[in-house]
Amino acid sequence: MTEVLAERSFRGLAEAEAIESVHDELDGLWNDAPFVEAMDQMTFTTAVIESASNIVQHALPAEAQRPVELGVDISVRSTLLQARVSAFYAKPPLGQLEPGTPDEDSESGRGLALIEALVTTVTFERQDGTNIWILSKSPQA
Amino acid sequence: MEFSYEVKDSYAEVKADGRLNMVSAPKLREFVTDVIAGGSSRIVVNLENTAFMDSSGLGALIGCLKAARQAGGDLRIAAVQPQVKMVLELTSMDRVLNAYASADEAFGND
C-alpha cells in the first residue's frame, strides 16, 4: 500500500460535542493535504461525520459504568482516503446495518444510505468489544 | 452555529451560519419554532453561510418545513452551498425542500 501522506485522529466520549472536534480534525487534515480534490474532501468529510454521528446517537454501552468512546482515525494516501470510525466499549449494533428508505417527510433514517452513496466501500468489524466502521474512498484521478 | 432572523414584508428570513450537524440541528428546530410562534409561518432559511449539513441537519429542516406548513405557511431554503446541495440531491430531498438563489426570490411570486 502506498505511503500515508496525512493523517488525523480523535478519541473521546461519544457525545454530541465530539462531532465538532472530529470535524475540526477533518478541516486540519485537508489543510495538510490540499492536493485532495475539493469534491473528495467534501464527500469524505460528510461520510465520516455521518458515521461518527451514528455512533453518538445509537451506540449503547456494553457495561453500565463505562460510557461508549468514539474513535476516528483518518488517513490520506495518493490512491485511498480511509477512515476507521470506532465505538469503544459498545454493545454490538442492535439495529439494521442496511440503509433505510424513509418517507419524504421523515426526519431521520437517511444517514446510512448517505454514507454508502459518498464512499467507495463501507465495511463493519467487531473486534475486542469495539464496533469499527471502515470507510474507503478512491480519490478522483 | 449561529442563528438570527429578520422579519421582512412577506416572510421571515432565518440565517444559520456554521455547521448544521447533530449539535446544531435541535437548536435550529427550536429557533424556527420560536419564529413561527412569534407569528411568522412563511420562513426562508438562508443557507449562504451554512458550509456543512448532515442528515441530522436535513432532518431538522424537514421538521421545520412541517411546522411551518402546520401553521399555514411554508419553509423554503436559499443560497444553498455545494456541500448542502450534494446532501439534498443524494437524499432526493431537493424535491421537497425548494431551493432559491436568494432569500428575496423564495417567496417572490407568492
Side-chain angles (χ1 to χ4, degrees):
Chain A
M1 194 173 277
T2 53
E3 175 192 5
V4 173
L5 302 172
E7 55 190 336
R8 290 279 178 143
S9 293
F10 169 85
R11 173 117 181 211
L13 288 177
E15 53 193 23
E17 287 67 27
I19 298 305
E20 292 287 354
S21 302
V22 171
H23 210 135
D24 291 343
E25 292 297 335
L26 282 155
D27 285 350
L29 180 77
W30 306 132
N31 272 333
D32 294 345
F35 48 86
V36 176
E37 294 284 339
M39 176 61 82
D40 288 327
Q41 295 185 14
M42 192 169 85
T43 54
F44 201 66
T45 293
T46 309
V48 171
I49 295 298
E50 284 290 340
S51 304
S53 299
N54 186 279
I55 287 175
V56 171
Q57 287 170 320
H58 300 298
L60 297 172
E63 300 170 33
Q65 302 85 350
R66 191 165 206 179
V68 175
E69 290 184 17
L70 170 70
V72 181
D73 299 288
I74 317 154
S75 60
V76 175
R77 293 179 166 86
S78 60
T79 54
L80 184 70
L81 307 175
Q82 192 168 69
R84 293 170 63 88
V85 184
S86 307
F88 295 95
Y89 318 122
K91 288 182 180 175
L94 284 176
Q96 43 183 323
L97 293 172
E98 298 298 317
T101 49
D103 296 336
E104 279 187 348
D105 63 349
S106 175
E107 295 173 38
S108 61
R110 295 185 179 82
L112 292 177
L114 192 53
I115 294 167
E116 291 205 340
L118 290 165
V119 297
T120 314
T121 61
V122 185
T123 59
F124 173 76
E125 295 175 6
R126 181 163 171 88
Q127 290 179 359
D128 303 325
T130 302
N131 301 329
I132 309 165
W133 281 265
I134 301 171
L135 314 181
S136 303
K137 182 171 180 60
S138 307
Q140 293 176 344
Chain B
M1 170 158 262
E2 290 187 7
F3 302 107
S4 60
Y5 82 101
E6 187 178 344
V7 177
K8 305 282 183 91
D9 286 344
S10 63
Y11 64 91
E13 178 180 359
V14 173
K15 288 186 177 171
D17 296 351
R19 298 168 181 158
L20 186 48
N21 56 19
M22 68 172 293
V23 179
S24 54
K27 297 172 185 168
L28 175 66
R29 284 172 203 264
E30 196 176 322
F31 192 86
V32 172
T33 300
D34 286 348
V35 172
I36 294 170
S40 301
S41 61
R42 284 154 62 97
I43 307 282
V44 180
V45 181
N46 186 335
L47 298 171
E48 183 180 8
N49 294 316
T50 306
F52 180 87
M53 179 180 78
D54 64 8
S55 62
S56 305
L58 176 59
L61 282 179
I62 295 164
C64 294
L65 170 68
K66 289 195 287 191
R69 287 183 176 169
Q70 278 166 10
D74 200 5
L75 179 142
R76 298 172 185 178
I77 56 176
V80 171
Q81 299 303 301
Q83 189 274 347
V84 174
K85 184 168 185 280
M86 176 190 75
V87 169
L88 289 168
E89 288 175 352
L90 286 175
T91 55
S92 300
M93 293 311 288
D94 52 336
R95 295 181 304 198
V96 176
L97 286 160
N98 297 316
Y100 294 82
S102 70
D104 281 346
E105 290 170 57
F107 284 103
N109 295 325
D110 290 341

